[in-house]
Amino acid sequence: MPASYSARSRAIEPFHVMALLARANELQAAGHDVIHLEIGEPDFSTAEPIVRAGQAALAAGHTRYTAARGLPALREALAGFYARRYGVDIDPARILITPGGSGALLLAAALLVDPGKHWLLADPGYPCNRHFLRLVEGAAQLVPVGAESRYQLNPELVARHWDRDSVGALLASPANPTGTVLSREELAGLSAALRARGGHLVVDEIYHGLTYGLEAPSVLEVDDEAFVLNSFSKYFGMTGWRLGWLVAPHKAVPELEKLAQNLYISAPTIAQHAALACFEEETLAILEARRAEFARRRDYLLPALRELGFGIAVEPEGAFYLYADIAAFGGDSYALCQHLLETEHVAITPGLDFGRHQAGRHVRFAYTQSLPRLEQAVERIARGLRSWRPDAV
């Protein structure tokens, strides 16, 4: 990279999985049957009622900018959704509609992080979180977490790692890549730990709705001053529509609106009109059926991978990922990912994309393929492990 390019650009790492994805696409183009378990995108198309609403919006000429905070009707619909699902009363004025969950993270980081300051983040965690902080000249203080804390921050870890440059913590529940969920009591404890230190609490709830055997509580049930990031991409299945939202305290909204006006003007208009259909009974029935299908996939893949020797110490309760220890097989995770792709045409994600703590001995599986495809993948992985020679890499 030329030295004339910015230091922030040089500091932001690419996704390691993108090189594997490029190779997977090459193999696919050459006629090989590749099973994709590497990308965190639901395999279902956007639900038909949402598509119809988007088509109707386009036909009606809804192609102009909206207000920076988003369509009032969509913010009101989201407030109603919070009341029904979580029992919390959220003023629609506190909700900003954003271009994807990434837009919500960008607003929160730009508002809350000065140059040289940082948030505490669990390691492993979603890589873009730390990169967004670098983009606003802040930093992520990565806190190593493991099975003993269910891969989540807790008050003890906050106390141990907090320093004079800490200004907040970013949590994720359900988490990517581990799928663990924070309970209401855990969220309350973390809220108290942050409040005692004058820090901001930011919670990524992007995988809410995709939980199995329990409902994930929102941090807003225990902390009305928390910042919540969410998205229409995962549970609502609108990945390519690029739509998310941010819930913020009243006092933060004017500053966030100003940032939104300057950073992206407004979220995509047609996507906002389409999202109004997300909360209709017909749509929610489709989405709940899809959640049940994800649960069946998890319940198949989790024991199947454990049977092969992958270490999955904590059962994931949400999202659609399994984060697995490969210590039983030796070698490093990137090399194993390459081996499985080249020999068996199964694409998975190396732990290197999710942080630094034991990253070389973990991989992530996304169960975003049908059950028959997952069964094929397990057969291929078993065969690939038999031919795996880590010392030969």
Side-chain angles (χ1 to χ4, degrees):
M1 182 182 293
S4 59
Y5 291 174
S6 69
R8 80 175 63 85
S9 179
R10 294 195 301 271
I12 292 174
E13 305 164 16
F15 286 161
H16 293 87
V17 74
M18 297 314 292
L20 292 167
L21 177 61
R23 177 57 180 155
N25 289 337
E26 287 177 2
L27 290 167
Q28 206 161 283
H32 296 286
D33 176 34
V34 177
I35 301 178
H36 291 275
L37 307 182
E38 79 279 33
I39 300 301
E41 180 171 26
D43 54 322
F44 301 108
S45 299
T46 301
E48 183 59 30
I50 301 172
V51 174
R52 289 198 304 266
Q55 291 169 334
L58 187 60
H62 294 308
T63 57
R64 303 176 70 85
Y65 296 131
T66 69
R69 282 191 289 165
L71 281 177
L74 183 54
R75 292 189 285 112
E76 289 167 7
L78 278 166
F81 185 68
Y82 274 93
R84 293 188 301 275
R85 179 153 291 191
Y86 305 107
V88 294
D89 183 16
I90 302 296
D91 185 345
R94 294 175 53 192
I95 300 172
L96 292 94
I97 308 299
T98 60
S102 298
L105 177 58
L106 178 59
L107 288 183
L111 177 74
L112 302 176
V113 184
D114 276 322
K117 301 300 182 180
H118 58 241
W119 286 345
L120 305 185
L121 275 68
D123 178 2
Y126 180 56
C128 287
N129 293 340
R130 63 182 188 269
H131 296 156
F132 268 102
L133 292 172
R134 180 62 184 88
L135 191 65
V136 298
E137 303 300 332
Q141 184 167 349
L142 299 181
V143 178
V145 294
E148 69 284 349
S149 68
R150 297 174 52 259
Y151 298 99
Q152 293 280 2
L153 297 182
N154 57 37
E156 292 73 26
L157 289 170
V158 169
R160 191 184 314 160
H161 291 272
W162 193 268
D163 63 31
R164 64 182 182 181
D165 291 323
S166 303
V167 294
L170 173 59
L171 315 175
S173 177
N176 177 9
T178 61
T180 58
V181 174
L182 288 163
S183 69
R184 186 176 286 100
E185 293 72 26
E186 288 170 324
L187 288 166
L190 284 158
S191 171
L194 269 294
R195 192 181 304 112
R197 292 164 175 81
H200 298 287
L201 177 56
V202 185
V203 183
D204 168 353
E205 297 185 353
I206 285 171
Y207 290 94
H208 268 228
L210 292 174
T211 54
Y212 317 111
L214 81 170
E215 294 293 338
S218 173
V219 69
L220 296 171
E221 298 175 41
V222 299
D223 186 346
D224 198 50
E225 292 295 302
F227 291 77
V228 173
L229 318 174
N230 212 320
S231 171
F232 287 94
S233 291
K234 308 302 184 181
Y235 176 66
F236 295 106
M238 296 181 66
T239 50
W241 299 77
R242 305 313 304 133
L243 199 66
W245 73 88
L246 172 66
V247 183
H250 269 294
K251 60 180 177 288
V253 170
E255 291 300 306
L256 289 167
E257 184 173 18
K258 178 178 65 178
L259 289 167
Q261 290 166 345
N262 282 275
L263 289 171
Y264 54 78
I265 301 179
S266 65
T269 300
I270 295 167
Q272 293 188 63
H273 282 276
L276 288 169
C278 287
F279 311 103
E280 297 173 358
E281 287 188 13
E282 179 187 6
T283 307
L284 292 172
I286 295 169
L287 302 180
E288 286 301 302
R290 293 177 176 183
R291 168 162 56 169
E293 174 60 20
F294 278 124
R296 285 189 286 271
R297 295 175 184 182
R298 182 203 64 164
D299 292 346
Y300 164 73
L301 192 58
L302 176 60
L305 291 176
R306 283 174 168 168
E307 183 69 22
L308 292 180
F310 289 94
I312 306 172
V314 178
E315 181 173 309
E317 300 159 316
F320 34 65
Y321 307 116
L322 294 169
Y323 194 60
D325 191 324
I326 67 162
F329 314 122
D332 70 84
S333 63
Y334 193 86
L336 179 60
C337 290
Q338 287 181 307
H339 173 76
L340 292 175
L341 179 59
E342 295 293 341
T343 63
E344 302 298 334
H345 305 139
V346 177
I348 60 176
T349 306
L352 295 172
D353 272 342
F354 304 106
R356 301 183 179 91
H357 181 55
Q358 298 184 343
R361 56 180 276 184
H362 284 84
V363 295
R364 189 195 72 177
F365 297 85
Y367 43 94
T368 50
Q369 296 288 320
S370 67
L371 268 174
R373 290 294 275 171
L374 293 179
E375 290 168 353
Q376 283 183 299
V378 168
E379 291 175 4
R380 294 187 192 183
I381 292 166
R383 190 167 57 234
L385 291 174
R386 289 194 292 271
S387 65
W388 168 239
R389 302 289 182 270
D391 294 337
V393 176

